Amino acid sequence: MEKVSVVIDGRTFEAVKDRCVLEVAHENGIYIPSLCYNSEVPSSGGSCRVCLVEAHQGGRMRLVTACNYPVRKGLEVKTDTPLVHRIRRGVLELLLARVPDSEVIREMAASEGIAEVRFRKDEGENERYKCIACALCTNVCAEVVGVHAIAMTERGADKKPATPYDKPSEVCIGCGACAYACPTGAITMKEKDGVRRIWHRDFQMVRCSVCGTPYIPQAQVDWIVSRTGKDRSFFDKCPDHR
Amino acid sequence: MGAIKSVEQLEAYRRELAAAARPELPTVLVCFGTGCQANGARPVAEAFMDVIKEQGLEIDVNVGIKTTGCHGYCENGPLVALRPQDILYLKVKPEDVPEIVEETVKGGRVVERLVYRDKATGEAVARYSEIPFYRHQQRIALRHIGTIDPASIDDYILAGGYAGLTKALAMKPDDIISEVERSGLRGRGGGGFPAGTKWRSCVAVESDVRYVLCNGDEGDPGAFMDRSIMEGDPHSVIEGMIIGAYALGSHQGYIYVRDEYPLAIRNLTAALEAAREKGLLGEDILGSGFSFDIKISRGGGAFVCGESSALMRSVAGEVGEPRAKYIRSVERGLYDKPTVLNNVETWANVPEIILKGADWYASIGTEGSKGTKVFSLVGKVNNTGLVEVPMGISIRELVENIGGGILGGKEFKAVQTGGPSGGCIPERLADLPIDFDSLTEAGSMMGSGGIIVMDEDTCMVDVARYFTGFLVEESCGKCTPCRDGLPRMLDLLTEITEGCGGEEHLAMLEGLCDLLTWGALCGLGTSAANPVLSTIKYFRDEYEAHIRDKRCPAGVCKALITYHIDPEACTGCRLCAKNCPQECITGKRKEPHTIDADKCIKCGVCKDVCTFDAVRIS
Ligand SMILES: Cc1cc2nc3c(=O)[nH]c(=O)nc-3n(C[C@H](O)[C@H](O)[C@H](O)COP(=O)(O)O)c2cc1C
Ligand code: SF4
Ligand code: SF4
Ligand code: SF4
Ligand code: SF4
Ligand code: SF4
Ligand code: FES
Ligand code: FES
């Protein structure tokens, strides 16, 4: 793999060409906030804009999203400049106005010195239920799970993830990967008496034959079996008791 | 005839067409652009056919009738041009046809009542080329529009079409790129990126597959330059793309056209078919060994689909949404292959550049912006329509010479250029040359060439609010600054126009503009600040009047104005009272009337109907 050297905040690092700035920075202990990016999800990133940093290259400076900007030879990144903080504050103030109830956003905004927003908040009938429309959930479902149960619908401020026609999805396997990936905890997944409810649908959970804990939806087991040909009995026990 | 198998055969075919053509024959050209068809061009053309058929044998005048693309003067359609007399008739009705045939076609006389009349001087101008709207134009991209039948490839070939291609096929691909580089041609789709540079960086990427794309999305409201070219001269775009593909080593092209342009789709489809039949597209083009074909890709119509990454996703059958990526499409574009995307007008210029040479093209225009540009001139000017002028012409020349000045003798206040995310330039800067860099420096942009002229009755805060509202609707919602910032910007502007804006509103607006410009993902968001910033920059006093004095100087913002009747000017004609939807105007006949301000909904009807200019706004 071709390696290049890249400068981040004045320090020089060796990095694999075309890896994203965010990962290279994090591996070297430099903090850049992020919300919509997950290294396991190819199409993720680029949407929330909290990871904007200064990229200096070829005598030119641009603000770029660290989560998908490739490191190349001669790149110098600055993550801690007045411009970076000014724009990050702007983004966080808008996110806070959008989802005032999200603890994650409140904390991230507070770390940039924002406690209150000056703009109209999305409340009442405009409540966005913590969702910042970052599309990480839909990307996870499509690219990691390999199911296309949800997609981003609507445009503009109303953009949101949804199942087709907001009805229970027939292809959803109830795996919950979308909910685990969501940066703001905006997807409700509830479990009661061995039944998981997510995206308007109830999923019967399989119990571990050893400890009796319901640990995986039957639909997910069926899906894995049909996809991989794995032996069904494998799922009798939860990972702790295999 | 079938496929043409060599450059020599094409030239022979052109000579054959020329020998068969009889330029001395009277020709009636009925504009069949979308605008004129809507105004009733078809019955007019049919009336001509009927009269010709009826009289044909007796009078030994052979009249060729053609249906052409838009002349750019749609407002006055249906347009009928007559050759060889070089006469243009406006607003022609089927009833006028027998007279036109009798007087002009047979007698060579002008039918006075159908000719153009200068709105300022009242002078009649019969000759097409002398009409001020056309006299100041220089047509390269629109070179054939209105003079050839877009459905006829023979017309195009006879007019010199595909000669650029034959010249290109004799050149080295690299030399074609150099020629385009030297011409200084910059993309006409908005960004103004040098076309030659784009091509050069695409060929530099190693790949066995490459694509050339044509952007015919044209989502700007009121803009129709690309539509006119696709409808009126589709072969010019196709020829440009074949030349580009040959230079780039591409074998597949796509033209992306919005679904709302059915005539463009039809004419392009027919033109592609005709080009294939003639051996100008497909395998072994003109016996050169080079193969290339073009498909039409139809777009769903959202404004943002015109953005390059969204367009490529849409062509590939995905959701037409911009993608966050920093790898350029010349490296990884459509289907992740090196791709060159150019705008319709950009492509239409290419054959002329190759045919006449880079030096010729570079001699037109300004230092940084070569050639001509097509503009859609609309708003408060006397002549509106499509115009093509050399780059560098001043805003004032465009408004006064071609546009014929401001409608109704009002004062010229500003122009808005560059589509919904362009900016407003005030009258005091009207001597500014129109080119990519000057417009950007002034806080606006060239965009795709929309120019809206505004007069004294325009409120600049309201204008900013209007365009921001458009962008709110068109935001795809993918990134935070645009998705959540634009609606807040609209809130602030609306509050100002409603008289509830405070001093802090301006600072908050400027903050959001800063955020959009630096932080948005695609061009829609990064340019969305232009309407707001440019109006704050040039018309700050108007914002302040709304905020501090709760006053709308232009008398537009309803919350801040009241209607009343000037008793001195009112003649008591009762016209306003009869038309008021609220029935809130009272007064005796021949005595001054009054408006009950409590009931008035500020619809403006009274002001519009009063012929004595007695209704005032304050
Ligand atoms: C929101 C948005 C809409 C656009 N719409 C169009 C369009 O309708 N037609 C067009 O040619 N270019 C449009 N563009 C510009 C294209 O992204 C691209 O730059 C252009 O097609 C490249 O061709 P050119 O270099 O010949 O101009 C748009 C850009 C943005 C950001
Ligand atoms: S729970 Fe359903 S929607 Fe969520 S990732 Fe799994 S399959 Fe997709
Ligand atoms: S639900 Fe969560 S992951 Fe999905 S779009 Fe909303 S914030 Fe992003
Ligand atoms: S700037 Fe606006 S249109 Fe462009 S990607 Fe962001 S939200 Fe979508
Ligand atoms: S239309 Fe004009 S002149 Fe006539 S009554 Fe109304 S205000 Fe007076
Ligand atoms: S503005 Fe409309 S409602 Fe008011 S007085 Fe005039 S016509 Fe009547
Ligand atoms: S983490 Fe980079 S844009 Fe969201
Ligand atoms: S359609 Fe006829 S002039 Fe435009």
Side-chain angles (χ1 to χ4, degrees):
Chain A
M1 262 183 288
E2 190 182 340
K3 289 222 167 187
V4 292
S5 66
V6 42
V7 179
I8 307 181
D9 291 344
R11 292 157 61 200
T12 306
F13 306 107
E14 285 283 299
V16 175
K17 181 173 175 260
D18 283 346
R19 280 200 68 201
C20 74
V21 167
L22 187 86
E23 282 172 20
V24 175
H26 282 184
E27 277 158 24
N28 291 289
I30 295 172
Y31 171 72
I32 300 171
S34 74
L35 288 165
C36 67
Y37 177 71
N38 182 319
S39 58
E40 305 295 317
V41 191
S43 297
S44 69
S47 137
C48 73
R49 320 300 284 175
V50 296
C51 67
L52 285 164
V53 294
E54 284 184 22
H56 299 254
Q57 201 157 25
R60 203 170 140 221
M61 190 280 281
R62 286 193 292 168
L63 275 197
V64 301
T65 41
C67 64
N68 61 1
Y69 196 79
V71 297
R72 297 237 170 138
K73 205 171 139 228
L75 172 67
E76 185 181 355
V77 176
K78 294 184 183 170
T79 73
D80 192 17
T81 69
L83 175 66
V84 167
H85 287 289
R86 185 174 90 217
I87 299 305
R88 190 182 294 163
R89 271 199 300 275
V91 169
L92 286 166
E93 185 179 7
L94 288 177
L95 287 176
L96 193 55
R98 179 184 174 88
V99 290
D101 295 336
S102 160
E103 306 76 30
V104 176
I105 300 297
R106 274 218 303 270
E107 261 167 46
M108 204 180 262
S111 74
E112 282 289 336
I114 301 166
E116 243 334 296
V117 297
R118 298 164 297 163
F119 305 113
R120 163 180 60 81
K121 291 186 197 166
D122 286 342
E123 292 167 318
E125 63 176 26
N126 271 335
E127 160 129 47
R128 313 279 179 200
Y129 306 100
K130 298 190 187 173
C131 175
I132 58 167
C134 72
L136 191 49
C137 53
T138 58
N139 287 327
V140 164
C141 183
E143 295 172 10
V144 179
V145 184
V147 171
H148 295 258
I150 47 175
M152 298 305 286
T153 59
E154 314 271 346
R155 307 159 47 79
D158 295 332
K159 199 177 193 80
K160 58 165 194 186
T163 51
Y165 308 104
D166 278 325
K167 295 258 161 38
S169 154
E170 287 182 8
V171 295
C172 179
I173 57 172
C175 68
C178 50
Y180 302 127
C182 174
T184 56
I187 298 171
T188 37
M189 179 164 77
K190 283 189 184 133
E191 244 171 85
K192 206 182 156 215
D193 304 330
V195 175
R196 173 183 285 181
R197 187 165 180 80
I198 186 170
W199 294 112
H200 329 290
R201 197 177 140 189
D202 291 326
F203 292 89
Q204 194 64 49
M205 302 295 281
V206 174
R207 286 177 196 270
C208 172
S209 60
V210 180
C211 63
T213 316
Y215 85 97
I216 189 172
Q218 184 64 51
Q220 187 177 0
V221 172
D222 296 345
W223 190 79
I224 296 172
V225 168
S226 75
R227 275 298 191 85
T228 63
K230 220 181 188 78
D231 199 82
R232 198 170 276 278
S233 61
F234 177 82
F235 297 99
D236 288 350
K237 299 179 190 137
C238 73
D240 288 348
H241 296 104
R242 272 176 206 155
Chain B
M1 81 170 265
I4 302 173
K5 295 201 179 61
S6 69
V7 166
E8 293 72 36
Q9 274 185 26
L10 177 65
E11 290 313 322
Y13 184 59
R14 199 193 309 282
R15 281 193 300 275
E16 237 173 77
L17 289 173
R22 296 171 58 197
E24 73 288 356
L25 284 188
T27 307
V28 178
L29 299 122
V30 181
C31 176
F32 253 44
T34 298
C36 285
Q37 289 210 32
N39 284 329
R42 190 173 291 276
V44 171
E46 280 163 4
F48 272 109
M49 311 265 198
D50 290 347
V51 175
I52 292 159
K53 212 165 159 193
E54 257 169 47
Q55 309 186 356
L57 291 168
E58 275 179 45
I59 49 156
D60 203 33
V61 181
N62 191 351
V63 183
I65 192 155
K66 283 177 183 296
T67 53
T68 68
C70 172
H71 296 246
Y73 211 26
C74 317
E75 201 194 31
N76 292 291
L79 257 48
V80 173
L82 296 140
R83 282 192 299 196
Q85 296 91 338
D86 184 36
I87 286 172
L88 184 70
Y89 288 140
L90 313 176
K91 299 190 175 160
V92 178
K93 295 193 190 59
E95 306 86 273
D96 300 326
V97 168
E99 190 181 350
I100 296 175
V101 173
E102 230 16 74
E103 289 294 304
T104 314
V105 179
K106 294 199 225 156
R109 288 177 300 270
V110 173
V111 181
E112 289 285 340
R113 75 189 149 78
L114 294 173
V115 304
Y116 170 84
R117 224 164 259 286
D118 192 297
K119 280 187 189 143
T121 63
E123 191 193 337
V125 188
R127 284 194 181 280
Y128 195 146
S129 48
E130 281 166 14
I131 295 175
F133 184 74
Y134 291 109
R135 197 173 60 215
H136 300 278
Q137 295 195 36
Q138 180 176 2
R139 297 187 149 209
I140 298 174
L142 303 179
R143 59 194 176 275
H144 299 131
I145 293 181
T147 67
I148 67 165
D149 181 350
S152 162
I153 193 170
D154 286 353
D155 253 27
Y156 183 73
I157 293 174
L158 183 58
Y162 290 108
L165 174 64
T166 58
K167 189 168 170 192
L169 289 176
M171 292 166 72
K172 283 212 267 324
D174 199 68
D175 294 340
I176 297 174
I177 299 178
S178 302
E179 199 71 8
V180 175
E181 279 175 326
R182 286 202 308 116
S183 75
L185 174 67
R186 293 172 66 172
R188 296 320 196 219
F193 194 81
T197 311
K198 192 187 280 184
W199 296 17
R200 176 75 67 204
S201 45
C202 182
V203 278
V205 182
E206 241 172 87
S207 176
D208 46 349
V209 180
R210 248 174 257 284
Y211 296 107
V212 294
L213 264 52
C214 171
N215 192 338
D217 190 52
E218 196 167 56
D220 295 20
F224 59 112
M225 27 265 166
D226 294 343
R227 187 186 77 191
S228 292
I229 296 174
M230 292 185 285
E231 286 178 0
D233 192 15
H235 286 287
S236 67
V237 180
I238 296 168
E239 185 183 354
M241 288 178 75
I242 306 173
I243 294 172
Y246 175 70
L248 293 159
S250 161
H251 303 293
Q252 185 63 55
Y254 294 87
I255 305 179
Y256 188 82
V257 196
R258 56 178 37 227
D259 254 346
E260 284 97 326
Y261 284 179
L263 185 58
I265 293 173
R266 196 158 50 196
N267 289 2
L268 278 168
T269 308
L272 288 173
E273 195 76 7
R276 258 178 230 124
E277 235 164 65
K278 287 267 184 291
L280 294 157
L281 263 184
E283 297 292 315
D284 191 18
I285 291 171
L286 292 179
S288 64
F290 169 66
S291 302
F292 173 67
D293 212 332
I294 299 175
K295 282 191 193 129
I296 291 177
S297 176
R298 295 165 66 157
F303 176 62
V304 78
C305 287
E307 192 274 339
S308 64
S309 68
L311 182 143
M312 288 179 205
R313 292 182 75 180
S314 185
V315 170
E318 297 170 47
V319 182
E321 212 176 71
R323 181 154 34 183
K325 60 175 189 137
Y326 291 103
I327 305 203
R328 297 167 309 158
S329 51
V330 288
E331 283 178 52
R332 268 197 255 153
L334 182 65
Y335 302 118
D336 279 340
K337 297 293 179 190
T339 301
V340 162
L341 169 70
N342 279 124
N343 160 267
V344 169
E345 188 185 331
T346 314
W347 285 120
N349 274 301
V350 168
E352 283 293 279
I353 291 173
I354 297 303
L355 192 62
K356 298 193 176 154
D359 294 331
W360 162 78
Y361 194 79
S363 71
I364 305 161
T366 67
E367 186 57 35
S369 304
K370 299 299 185 193
T372 55
K373 174 80 192 87
V374 184
F375 293 100
S376 132
L377 183 65
V378 296
K380 301 290 172 59
V381 274
N382 282 310
N383 307 322
T384 60
L386 266 201
V387 300
E388 183 172 356
V389 290
M391 292 273 195
I393 182 178
S394 76
I395 293 172
R396 202 180 300 285
E397 283 172 273
L398 190 65
V399 170
E400 282 169 11
N401 297 347
I402 296 178
I406 304 295
L407 211 56
K410 297 239 172 167
E411 227 163 277
F412 173 23
K413 184 169 184 176
V415 290
Q416 201 270 357
T417 76
S421 47
C424 294
I425 296 171
E427 184 273 341
R428 63 174 194 276
L429 296 183
D431 293 314
L432 195 79
I434 304 181
D435 62 60
F436 287 108
D437 308 315
S438 306
L439 289 178
T440 307
E441 233 165 82
S444 185
M445 58 185 200
M446 178 77 81
S448 56
I451 297 208
I452 304 173
V453 182
M454 298 167 175
D455 68 4
E456 55 191 284
D457 293 336
T458 314
C459 166
M460 301 314 283
V461 185
D462 186 57
V463 165
R465 189 192 55 83
Y466 172 81
F467 285 110
T468 305
F470 176 88
L471 295 168
V472 166
E473 293 300 315
E474 296 300 328
S475 164
C476 83
K478 185 160 185 154
C479 70
T480 309
C482 174
R483 177 191 63 228
D484 291 319
L486 280 176
R488 266 74 190 182
M489 210 146 97
L490 182 60
D491 283 352
L492 296 168
L493 290 164
T494 306
E495 282 164 23
I496 296 175
T497 59
E498 286 173 350
C500 337
E503 297 287 336
E504 69 287 358
H505 276 55
L506 280 178
M508 279 156 76
L509 279 174
E510 282 166 331
L512 285 172
C513 287
D514 177 50
L515 175 61
L516 277 158
T517 308
W518 282 103
L521 189 160
C522 87
L524 188 147
T526 56
S527 61
N530 286 332
V532 178
L533 279 186
S534 64
T535 49
I536 293 183
K537 178 172 173 191
Y538 297 120
F539 300 94
R540 197 175 189 102
D541 52 331
E542 249 176 86
Y543 279 87
E544 286 170 350
H546 284 76
I547 292 171
R548 286 185 199 151
D549 315 333
K550 308 296 172 205
R551 192 169 61 80
C552 173
V556 172
C557 297
K558 281 191 183 174
L560 303 179
I561 56 170
T562 51
Y563 281 83
H564 61 91
I565 291 170
D566 180 356
E568 300 286 307
C570 176
T571 63
C573 73
R574 296 209 48 77
L575 196 57
C576 56
K578 277 185 211 144
N579 283 288
C580 172
Q582 291 297 95
E583 300 183 355
C584 65
I585 304 178
T586 49
K588 292 209 181 82
R589 176 167 293 281
K590 296 200 177 152
E591 280 173 28
H593 282 45
T594 48
I595 294 175
D596 179 352
D598 289 340
K599 283 201 209 143
C600 171
I601 54 164
K602 300 169 190 175
C603 69
V605 166
C606 50
K607 188 169 168 45
D608 291 342
V609 297
C610 178
T611 43
F612 301 96
D613 199 19
V615 181
R616 305 286 158 81
I617 294 173
S618 60

